[in-house]
Amino acid sequence: MGWIVLGLLAAAAIYLVMTYNGLVAMRQRVNQAFADIDVQLKQRHDLIPNLVETVKGYASHERETFDAVVKARNEALSAHGPQAQAAAEQQLSGALGRLLALSEAYPDLKASANFQQLQSELSNVEDKLAAARRFFNNAVGEFNAAIQAFPAVFFAPQMGFSPREFFDVGEQARTQLDVAPNVKF
């Protein structure tokens, strides 16, 4: 009887260690995925001043649009956490959209090789950012499911594991993202 109890305790201890290690690995995957988003956001933020300067050369009287982009970029740089960053990035996307829309009113700007290259780079970064967000949200979903599943739900909080937030663009942005962009050249 003693050996059975000892065997059950050893099995429970092994299970706890394996579960703990699995949760640690998932938490690290979430942290890495968030770091990947940060890398893409930094690239995006680094492109914006060049894009603003290029547009300024052709549309210097559009000061309000430039100021909105710069303000949104600064707010995005100072945002912390998935929800705050998602909200700030949504504001930045709106401001960038208005900046890029200026090319319709300025044919010389639209034809500028520098503007086209920056626009292409920004599009590439946006694609990578979307992929990084999907990977992060997938990692968060797996992690949250693991800590809320039976029997981990009973001991995960005591071991320091708590649910993480998704990188959510918000309801308004989601409806805008559902509409295909209209690209003209």
Side-chain angles (χ1 to χ4, degrees):
M1 175 80 166
W3 288 105
I4 293 173
V5 171
L6 187 59
L8 288 175
L9 287 175
I14 290 171
Y15 175 78
L16 281 174
V17 167
M18 290 176 56
T19 300
Y20 178 80
N21 288 341
L23 291 175
V24 167
M26 286 182 185
R27 182 172 55 194
Q28 285 306 107
R29 204 173 8 230
V30 169
N31 292 340
Q32 178 189 5
F34 193 71
D36 290 346
I37 289 174
D38 276 344
V39 167
Q40 297 306 320
L41 290 176
K42 176 152 180 30
Q43 287 180 344
R44 181 186 196 205
H45 297 156
D46 290 347
L47 280 173
I48 291 170
N50 295 331
L51 189 61
V52 168
E53 287 303 314
T54 299
V55 175
K56 270 185 184 179
Y58 291 91
S60 58
H61 62 282
E62 301 284 352
R63 186 79 186 148
E64 183 179 313
T65 303
F66 303 139
D67 290 344
V69 171
V70 170
K71 180 181 178 211
R73 177 185 180 262
N74 291 339
E75 288 175 5
L77 284 170
S78 64
H80 298 289
Q83 293 300 72
Q85 279 187 318
E89 291 301 325
Q90 177 55 32
Q91 293 297 322
L92 180 57
S93 292
L96 275 175
R98 290 188 298 279
L99 181 69
L100 294 173
L102 288 177
S103 68
E104 294 299 318
Y106 299 94
D108 290 344
L109 171 62
K110 189 192 275 188
S112 165
N114 192 25
F115 178 75
Q116 289 177 356
Q117 178 189 2
L118 288 169
Q119 196 172 21
S120 174
E121 287 178 33
L122 186 60
S123 177
N124 187 26
V125 168
E126 293 293 341
D127 290 344
K128 290 178 183 177
L129 186 54
R133 286 177 181 147
R134 281 191 304 274
F135 182 75
F136 173 77
N137 285 339
N138 184 50
V140 167
E142 288 177 6
F143 177 73
N144 288 348
I147 65 172
Q148 294 169 357
F150 179 82
V153 69
F154 296 116
F155 56 84
Q158 288 77 19
M159 288 195 251
F161 297 102
S162 57
R164 300 290 291 267
E165 293 180 356
F166 289 97
F167 200 106
D168 188 12
V169 293
E171 192 60 40
Q172 180 184 9
R174 198 173 295 108
T175 55
Q176 290 173 350
L177 293 173
D178 288 341
V179 178
N182 185 12
V183 178
K184 297 178 187 175
F185 291 102

